[in-house]
Amino acid sequence: MSAEYSIQVDPSRDLIRIRMSGFFTLADVDGFLAARAKAHAELTCRRNAHLTINDLREMKIQSQEIVDAFRAMLAAPEYRSRRLAFIVSSTLARSQLGRALANRHARCFEDSDAAEAWLLGAGEESQAA
């Protein structure tokens, strides 16, 4: 399955919604980065004040090269979210995500409602990748 992704912006909630699926190549990662930059330009909040939810349930296990590319992408300070929630299903995908996050604070969920509740909640503030 080739890579697919979608990015929706909700400026009224300072929210970026991402869905990623399939197996990514470096060209797919580059395309995603361009789409992410365009989406972030639609936000009206101050830099790094937005929230991000990323649904990875349809994501395939990625090559180490792509995990490294995602790690670099998550480290970009200009796109760092105030909170970052991932929706994952596979234990192996969760393990790969953990390596890509490289000790950055984010939370993984198996349920989209729980992810969104945490993301939009007024509880614990955190800096995420």
Side-chain angles (χ1 to χ4, degrees), residues 17-114:
R17 289 181 185 278
I18 301 170
R19 288 183 84 86
M20 301 173 89
S21 63
F23 189 80
F24 279 67
T25 65
L26 288 176
D28 296 321
V29 173
D30 289 343
F32 175 79
L33 291 173
R36 180 182 70 167
K38 183 178 176 183
H40 277 247
E42 295 179 36
L43 290 168
T44 57
C45 59
R46 64 179 167 72
R47 181 177 168 186
N48 304 114
H50 66 284
L51 306 167
T52 302
I53 188 166
N54 194 337
D55 187 339
L56 303 175
R57 290 177 288 189
E58 301 287 324
M59 191 88 146
K60 302 296 181 196
I61 301 306
Q62 305 297 312
S63 71
Q64 187 58 49
E65 178 180 48
I66 298 305
V67 171
D68 291 343
F70 285 137
R71 181 181 299 122
M73 175 185 73
L74 289 165
E78 63 272 21
Y79 295 104
R80 188 166 297 196
S81 300
R82 178 168 41 105
R83 283 189 178 200
L84 176 60
F86 289 97
I87 307 167
V88 296
S89 55
S90 153
T91 302
L92 191 52
R94 186 184 296 243
S95 175
Q96 278 197 324
L97 176 61
R99 287 193 304 275
L101 289 171
N103 299 320
R104 300 214 183 272
H105 181 71
R107 291 207 183 164
C108 293
F109 300 86
E110 292 181 10
D111 175 79
S112 59
D113 291 336

